[in-house]
Amino acid sequence: MSAEAADREAATSSRPCTPPQTSWFEFLLEEALLEQHLQKPSPDPPPVQLIVQFLEQASKPSVNEQNQVQPPPDNKRNRILKLLALKVAAHLKWDLDVLEKSLSVPVLNMLLNELLCISKVPSGTKHVDVDLASLPPTTAMAILLYNRWAIRTIVQSSFPVKQVKPGPPQLNVMNQMQQEKELTDNILKVLKEQAADSILVLEGALKLSKDLYVHTIRTLDLLAVEPGMVNGETESSTAGLKISAEEIQCQVCYDLGAIYFQQGSTNAAVHEKAKEMFFKTKELIAKNGSSSLHFTIDEERLAGYCQACGVLTLSSDDTSQQATPYSQIHRCMKSGNYQDIVNIFLEDNLTLSLPVQFRQSVLRELFQKSQQGNDALDEVCFKVCMCNTVCDVLQGRTVDVQFCQLFLKPSKEKIDFLLEVCSKSLNLENASEALKRKMAAFLKNLCLGLEDLQLVFMISSHELFMKLLKDDERKLLIDQMRKRSPRINLCTKPVASFYDIPASASVNIGQLEHQLILSVDPWRIRQILIELHGMTSERQFWTISNKDFVHAKQLFAACLELVTEFSPKLRQVMLNEMLLLDIYTHEAGPGASGERPPSDLISRVRGYLEMRVPDIPLRQVIAEECVAFLLNWCENEYLTMQVPLPLVQTNPYVKLGQLLAATCKELPGPKESRRTAKDLWEVVVQICSVSNQHKRGNDGRVSLIKHRESTLGIMYRSELLSFIKKLREPLVLTTILSLFVKLHNVREDIVNDIAAEHISIWPSSIPNLQSVDFEAVAVTVKELVSYALTINANNHFWLIIQADIYFATNQYSAALHYYLQAGAVCSDFFNKMVPPDVYTDQVIKRMIKCCSLLNCHTQVAILCQFLREVDYKTAFKALQEQNSHDAMDSYYEYIWDVTILEYLTYLHHKRGETDKRQIAIKAIGQTELNASNPEDVLQLAAQRRKKKFLQAMAKLYF
């Protein structure tokens, strides 16, 4: 027995005795327990953290008699600790996925270096200089494992890392974390310097045709007990865990593909090598199956790599690589084969696989190329826009403004192509009824928007149009067209009468609903409703048409004629209902395009509010619509001065309208005029207050009950919200929105205020804060700003409010989107300067915080220049961050502050980042940034960089 084996036996036999050192006893006990655990028939995997404990114990420095720190001694205790760490890794079959998830870079580096040492890899010899084929199997495998880990670590370090939210600061923990970070950075620096050698080692491994072996617990025990066996069984072809040559090639190809992919952004040839490696990995997995691999491959990540490289392998024997639509479009854009892009989009309209954002980005790029002087792209832009529009229609989205712009001057050719797109995008045999209805509505609205009757006839006589629209729908559409022009004469089929409809459950519900809309005969209406209710009980059929004003007016006129002779009161009721209908008709028609209502309609609205007919109470919905109508058409003088006082006191909508009109009329106004604003404030606060009631329970305790929909105010909050959503006048909407924003801001626990126009006119405090339902206020603010943006999506003040809401709720990407959109709409997409009342210092600081929390630190530094006083402290702190998710040095061209550029130069010099330092020096060297230049030159240089930076940010977040 060797001396080392004797020592081991003596140590084992002495374990029950009390050891001279408790730590040594605990170590031996831990070794025994671990060995017992690993020798079970089916042991659970030991915790990977044991590796950390063993290696930390083995690497502890010692202190000599002179209290000098010495390196860890190479004694028996430390050797056994290292062996135990290797045993745990061997039990896990050296699975790098498992080890990398649980061990830090320094610990895994130490572990693999110990593996190299115990596998007798010659120290001081470069791995690239060693012939793997001539080495013992376990030695070659150790070299492969180390170099695979090195490549994987380099790739992993390039990915963004989510920052862990720090807990309470503890000095010792922070020092330990800082030391580990510095150690990791040093190891990464060495690995990156040796990356070329590691790649060569792995490329050489692809040439190996023999199986390799990796150390197991048994082979490690043999090495520890009998060092002489190193040249015996442990080097033979049967020692250790067998890894087949194909499995090795599969894993090496994947790792090489990952490093090639990382390097391929600047080198097209390397990118092609990445594609080849990933393709070969797919082939090997398809051939051997992923379950047979000792080292598993993340197939989802592999699929992502393949898609990014434009690789799609249908089967292992399919030698032709079929590209994805993304790569096909990319190649077409590069080669200028734009017609193929149109064909791809047309095909995708049936499958709807391409995301809408991708479609829009392709169209934007084509528009940009067209604006740069390529007139041949105008037609391509039109065709791609048509494909996108039809795709939007089928998916229930609103038609884009670009479609409307391109159809300002319609032509036969444009209509022909649009009809072709519609036909190819809808498979009538398999399409659902919902899709057919969407397409039919689109074509019908298109006809109504065209003035050229020949173009209308092209659409109405098309086969798709004839199949999608029923006879009744076509007749109704043609009637509407005839009213526009007496010369129109379109061919239609006769409308089927009501009696032709079979009275059975198989009758199409939609056809009956159209009959119901067109019918004016009470008996027919009754019969149709009986039929419909017999088919389904889930719908309210009085809501099927909310804009069929012509027929509704005919019905009301018939009712008016009947009741006039015998009931003056019923006649007045019918006149009131006809007034409501006329309001609806105007607001949905001419009013929607900004045309003022006729004076007689305004007079009738006023007359209704002033009406005093006994036994005919005001119908609340009519009063509500009348007040909203007057506010929308700026009849503020009437609402403020001429509405009868009793009506104000009895009708909540009239009172609310009067306060709104008075407040808007006096804006901005002196301080004395804020009395009406205070009155409006008190009314809204009361509506948003909750009524508290105390209730005594069975146990005698008194509990507080809060009622969300309080009756303390003049109306419920839901009624107020419904009324506001009838308003369209920007000043009225801005006023009520700023009131709710101010109410949202006065709560005590608010962290981030929301900014709004005219916010200073409202009171700054509330006497009884506890009575206000601030949760309901926050919900109302969100709903109101969303509604306001449907009225005018380009109101920069409303966009800032939306951005502030997202900022306050920690949705930083969405907040940046709206901050940038607010600046874009008031500066012609940043081609002009953004007004300072839009991009205030508060807005810029919030944009800075958004970028910081999104780990876009270079963007933070650039935005710090936008402040009235440049925030160097924040900029420098941001630039010190090395884990940035933005484009980093590619943003340096947007920096105009020389102090920041000089700091960047110093920082990169300190880090040894030569390439980035040169980029910063090049930016400083631009003549327009010379401090000796006139102020207007410096301002122009800053403005030009602001414009380019904000446009780049907009493309990133829009």
Side-chain angles (χ1 to χ4, degrees):
M1 182 182 293
S2 66
E4 189 165 337
D7 288 344
R8 182 185 180 91
E9 183 179 355
T12 305
S13 63
S14 66
R15 287 177 190 174
C17 303
T18 303
Q21 293 183 353
T22 305
S23 59
W24 177 242
F25 170 74
E26 289 175 349
F27 152 67
L28 291 173
L29 180 60
E30 192 171 39
E31 178 192 1
L33 290 173
L34 177 66
E35 289 183 350
Q36 181 184 5
H37 177 78
L38 297 181
Q39 289 168 6
K40 291 179 182 178
S42 301
D44 296 328
V48 184
Q49 289 305 316
L50 282 178
I51 296 176
V52 180
Q53 296 173 20
F54 293 147
L55 292 181
E56 281 182 352
Q57 290 291 329
S59 60
K60 275 187 178 179
S62 60
V63 180
N64 61 15
E65 295 177 355
Q66 289 79 29
N67 286 331
Q68 294 175 331
V69 179
Q70 301 291 326
D74 184 19
N75 55 23
K76 176 185 175 182
R77 174 184 181 275
N78 286 349
R79 285 195 298 273
I80 294 178
L81 281 168
K82 293 174 184 178
L83 182 64
L84 286 173
L86 292 170
K87 282 185 178 182
V88 176
H91 180 74
L92 298 172
K93 299 182 180 179
W94 299 98
D95 190 334
L96 287 179
D97 285 330
V98 175
L99 296 174
E100 287 169 343
K101 287 176 183 175
S102 305
L103 302 180
S104 64
V105 171
V107 172
L108 196 45
N109 179 58
M110 193 186 310
L111 178 72
L112 292 176
N113 273 298
E114 288 301 324
L115 176 65
L116 292 173
C117 182
I118 204 167
S119 301
K120 302 302 179 184
V121 176
S123 60
T125 305
K126 285 188 175 184
H127 295 172
V128 72
D129 297 333
V130 177
D131 181 14
L132 293 178
S134 63
L135 293 175
T138 52
T139 306
M141 195 65 203
I143 292 176
L144 271 185
L145 270 173
Y146 179 84
N147 287 280
R148 277 188 52 229
W149 168 76
I151 291 301
R152 290 161 64 102
T153 304
I154 293 170
V155 172
Q156 190 65 32
S157 68
S158 67
F159 296 154
V161 179
K162 183 178 181 180
Q163 296 293 327
V164 179
K165 187 175 181 180
Q170 299 179 16
L171 186 59
N172 59 337
V173 175
M174 292 174 65
N175 289 338
Q176 184 179 353
M177 290 173 62
Q178 182 62 27
Q179 289 174 5
E180 184 172 328
K181 184 178 184 300
E182 291 176 358
L183 186 57
T184 301
D185 291 342
N186 291 335
I187 292 172
L188 276 173
K189 184 178 179 182
V190 174
L191 293 179
K192 289 176 181 178
E193 290 173 354
Q194 298 173 352
D197 288 351
S198 293
I199 291 173
L200 288 174
V201 170
L202 296 187
E203 287 175 343
L206 294 178
K207 302 173 184 176
L208 290 175
S209 57
K210 66 176 184 177
D211 300 335
L212 296 183
Y213 291 81
V214 68
H215 278 300
T216 60
I217 296 174
R218 178 172 175 273
T219 58
L220 289 170
D221 272 333
L222 289 173
L223 287 171
V225 176
E226 295 291 344
M229 294 294 291
V230 169
N231 295 319
E233 184 183 350
T234 55
E235 291 189 3
S236 72
S237 60
T238 60
L241 177 66
K242 178 181 175 182
I243 311 295
S244 70
E246 286 188 337
E247 291 180 20
I248 294 170
Q249 286 197 355
C250 184
Q251 192 65 49
V252 169
C253 282
Y254 178 75
D255 293 336
L256 280 174
I259 191 68
Y260 290 154
F261 184 84
Q262 185 200 27
Q263 298 173 345
S265 58
T266 56
N267 189 330
V270 177
H271 192 271
E272 290 297 322
K273 290 170 72 176
K275 291 171 64 176
E276 181 185 347
M277 289 294 106
F278 289 132
F279 181 63
K280 191 170 182 180
T281 306
K282 271 183 165 286
E283 282 186 334
L284 289 168
I285 291 178
K287 181 178 179 182
N288 301 309
S290 57
S291 59
S292 66
L293 297 174
H294 288 291
F295 309 110
T296 56
I297 288 177
D298 186 343
E299 293 193 55
E300 288 187 5
R301 183 178 287 272
L302 175 61
Y305 273 129
C306 289
Q307 189 177 41
C309 292
V311 177
L312 180 63
T313 309
L314 298 178
S315 62
S316 57
D317 58 351
D318 188 1
T319 56
S320 63
Q321 298 180 24
Q322 182 180 348
T324 64
Y326 299 97
S327 59
Q328 289 176 345
I329 291 171
H330 179 66
R331 283 201 295 270
C332 291
M333 293 291 283
K334 289 183 69 175
S335 63
N337 188 5
Y338 300 114
Q339 184 55 44
D340 281 358
I341 296 177
V342 178
N343 295 335
I344 294 170
F345 274 35
L346 262 176
E347 293 172 5
D348 186 71
N349 276 10
L350 280 172
T351 60
L352 301 177
S353 61
L354 291 175
V356 62
Q357 295 85 356
F358 178 75
R359 284 171 162 269
Q360 291 170 351
S361 68
V362 172
L363 182 58
R364 278 198 300 270
E365 189 172 346
L366 289 171
F367 269 124
Q368 289 173 0
K369 290 177 181 290
S370 174
Q371 290 167 1
Q372 291 169 0
N374 192 343
D375 296 335
L377 282 178
D378 290 345
E379 183 181 355
V380 176
C381 291
F382 168 78
K383 290 183 175 181
V384 172
C385 183
M386 294 304 102
C387 293
N388 283 357
T389 299
V390 174
C391 177
D392 289 339
V393 168
L394 293 175
Q395 293 186 306
R397 291 187 292 269
T398 56
V399 175
D400 195 87
V401 67
Q402 290 170 332
F403 172 82
C404 302
Q405 291 172 342
L406 291 172
F407 249 85
L408 286 175
K409 296 181 179 178
S411 63
K412 181 180 180 299
E413 291 75 17
K414 289 182 177 181
I415 297 293
D416 270 338
F417 181 75
L418 179 58
L419 290 171
E420 178 189 350
V421 174
C422 292
S423 300
K424 291 184 177 180
S425 302
L426 190 69
N427 187 340
L428 287 174
E429 293 180 1
N430 302 323
S432 65
E433 288 299 319
L435 285 179
K436 291 178 183 178
R437 283 198 298 271
K438 289 173 184 175
M439 183 66 80
F442 171 66
L443 293 175
K444 189 162 61 173
N445 291 331
L446 186 64
C447 287
L448 292 172
L450 292 173
E451 295 181 1
D452 190 332
L453 300 181
Q454 291 184 347
L455 298 181
V456 175
F457 181 73
M458 283 179 62
I459 299 173
S460 63
S461 60
H462 193 271
E463 181 184 5
L464 179 66
F465 186 90
M466 301 289 284
K467 289 181 178 179
L468 288 176
L469 270 76
K470 305 292 182 185
D471 293 339
D472 297 340
E473 292 177 293
R474 291 201 300 276
K475 181 179 182 301
L476 180 61
L477 175 63
I478 292 165
D479 286 342
Q480 291 174 316
M481 300 301 296
R482 279 181 180 145
K483 290 173 185 176
R484 285 173 33 183
S485 173
R487 295 176 298 168
I488 189 167
N489 182 21
L490 303 181
C491 298
T492 60
K493 296 180 181 179
V495 180
S497 69
F498 170 75
Y499 301 101
D500 296 329
I501 300 175
S504 66
S506 61
V507 175
N508 183 278
I509 292 177
Q511 186 178 5
L512 281 175
E513 287 178 343
H514 288 303
Q515 288 284 348
L516 184 62
I517 293 170
L518 295 172
S519 298
V520 294
D521 184 356
W523 183 84
R524 288 190 181 183
I525 292 173
R526 181 175 180 274
Q527 291 299 317
I528 294 173
L529 286 173
I530 292 172
E531 190 79 23
L532 284 168
H533 283 292
M535 297 170 67
T536 176
S537 60
E538 297 178 356
R539 299 192 57 180
Q540 294 178 314
F541 295 105
W542 64 274
T543 64
I544 61 172
S545 176
N546 61 355
K547 291 188 179 179
D548 195 7
F549 304 123
V550 175
H551 293 89
K553 196 162 186 176
Q554 290 174 359
L555 289 170
F556 279 132
C559 292
L560 182 64
E561 186 177 347
L562 288 172
V563 302
T564 297
E565 299 177 0
F566 64 87
S567 177
K569 291 181 180 178
L570 278 177
R571 177 181 180 275
Q572 187 59 53
V573 170
M574 295 312 305
L575 288 172
N576 294 346
E577 295 298 325
M578 292 181 76
L579 170 63
L580 180 60
L581 182 62
D582 287 340
I583 292 173
Y584 285 155
T585 304
H586 180 270
E587 294 297 87
S593 58
E595 182 179 330
R596 271 191 70 81
S599 57
D600 69 311
L601 180 57
I602 296 177
S603 299
R604 288 168 59 199
V605 170
R606 293 179 177 182
Y608 175 80
L609 294 176
E610 298 168 6
M611 181 183 64
R612 290 291 176 272
V613 178
D615 302 328
I616 301 181
L618 290 176
R619 195 154 83 90
Q620 200 69 290
V621 67
I622 303 180
E624 181 184 356
E625 291 293 341
C626 286
V627 173
F629 178 83
L630 293 173
L631 284 171
N632 283 335
W633 297 107
C634 300
E635 294 291 322
N636 295 335
E637 190 70 32
Y638 173 79
L639 284 170
T640 306
M641 306 298 295
Q642 300 177 35
V643 174
L645 183 60
L647 185 61
V648 175
Q649 294 172 341
T650 58
N651 193 297
Y653 293 104
V654 176
K655 181 176 182 179
L656 183 64
Q658 185 184 67
L659 291 173
L660 267 172
T663 305
C664 293
K665 193 176 77 166
E666 295 174 357
L667 284 176
K671 289 187 177 179
E672 295 78 24
S673 69
R674 296 187 181 179
R675 178 65 217 173
T676 54
K678 186 172 183 292
D679 292 341
L680 178 60
W681 168 269
E682 290 173 351
V683 166
V684 174
V685 168
Q686 198 73 4
I687 293 172
C688 294
S689 296
V690 290
S691 58
N692 298 333
Q693 293 182 2
H694 293 84
K695 180 180 178 181
R696 187 176 299 278
N698 295 331
D699 57 356
R701 295 182 180 178
V702 177
S703 59
L704 182 66
I705 303 174
K706 286 190 174 183
H707 295 281
R708 289 292 180 199
E709 285 287 352
S710 171
T711 55
L712 298 175
I714 62 173
M715 64 180 70
Y716 291 120
R717 185 183 64 87
S718 57
E719 293 173 335
L720 172 62
L721 188 59
S722 175
F723 173 72
I724 295 171
K725 289 185 177 181
K726 298 178 187 297
L727 303 175
R728 291 200 316 270
E729 168 58 30
L731 183 58
V732 179
L733 281 174
T734 298
T735 302
I736 195 69
L737 190 54
S738 70
L739 187 155
F740 272 98
V741 166
K742 183 66 175 184
L743 186 56
H744 171 273
N745 290 346
V746 297
R747 64 188 297 179
E748 293 176 341
D749 59 342
I750 195 73
V751 177
N752 297 305
D753 282 354
I754 300 174
E757 198 177 8
H758 306 311
I759 200 168
S760 61
I761 68 172
W762 311 110
S764 300
S765 61
I766 299 174
N768 188 7
L769 274 176
Q770 290 75 20
S771 66
V772 179
D773 186 355
F774 284 108
E775 291 180 16
V777 171
V779 171
T780 305
V781 171
K782 292 177 183 177
E783 288 193 43
L784 287 183
V785 73
S786 297
Y787 168 71
L789 288 173
T790 64
I791 300 299
N792 182 4
N794 293 329
N795 186 306
H796 50 269
F797 289 115
W798 297 347
L799 289 166
I800 290 290
I801 294 174
Q802 182 70 285
D804 283 348
I805 290 172
Y806 280 122
F807 180 83
T809 53
N810 303 329
Q811 299 178 70
Y812 302 112
S813 181
L816 273 176
H817 170 92
Y818 281 99
Y819 283 133
L820 290 165
Q821 191 172 344
V825 298
C826 62
S827 64
D828 190 19
F829 198 68
F830 304 111
N831 286 301
K832 301 174 185 174
M833 181 180 287
V834 179
D837 62 335
V838 178
Y839 275 2
T840 61
D841 268 8
Q842 176 176 312
V843 170
I844 297 298
K845 286 177 181 177
R846 290 188 171 186
M847 293 173 71
I848 288 171
K849 186 174 180 181
C850 289
C851 292
S852 177
L853 292 168
L854 292 170
N855 284 339
C856 298
H857 301 296
T858 316
Q859 295 173 7
V860 170
I862 296 172
L863 285 170
C864 286
Q865 304 172 109
F866 283 62
L867 297 167
R868 288 182 175 84
E869 295 292 333
V870 180
D871 188 353
Y872 290 111
K873 181 180 178 181
T874 302
F876 292 169
K877 184 179 178 182
L879 292 173
Q880 289 171 6
E881 296 286 345
Q882 292 184 275
N883 183 28
S884 186
H885 294 181
D886 56 25
M888 298 181 70
D889 49 322
S890 65
Y891 279 129
Y892 291 177
E893 62 178 303
Y894 305 132
I895 301 177
W896 64 86
D897 188 283
V898 177
T899 304
I900 294 177
L901 286 170
E902 288 174 344
Y903 180 77
L904 271 172
T905 307
Y906 156 76
L907 199 63
H908 290 316
H909 175 71
K910 181 181 177 182
R911 294 174 180 168
E913 297 168 342
T914 309
D915 294 343
K916 294 182 179 179
R917 179 172 176 268
Q918 288 301 320
I919 296 173
I921 291 174
K922 182 180 178 182
I924 295 178
Q926 297 176 84
T927 54
E928 58 185 355
L929 297 184
N930 193 317
S932 303
N933 287 337
E935 185 62 26
D936 57 340
V937 174
L938 294 174
Q939 288 292 334
L940 184 63
Q943 187 57 37
R944 185 180 295 116
R945 285 161 176 76
K946 281 184 181 180
K947 166 192 165 182
K948 290 183 178 179
F949 173 69
L950 290 172
Q951 287 177 340
M953 288 279 283
K955 291 176 182 177
L956 186 62
Y957 288 98
F958 281 4

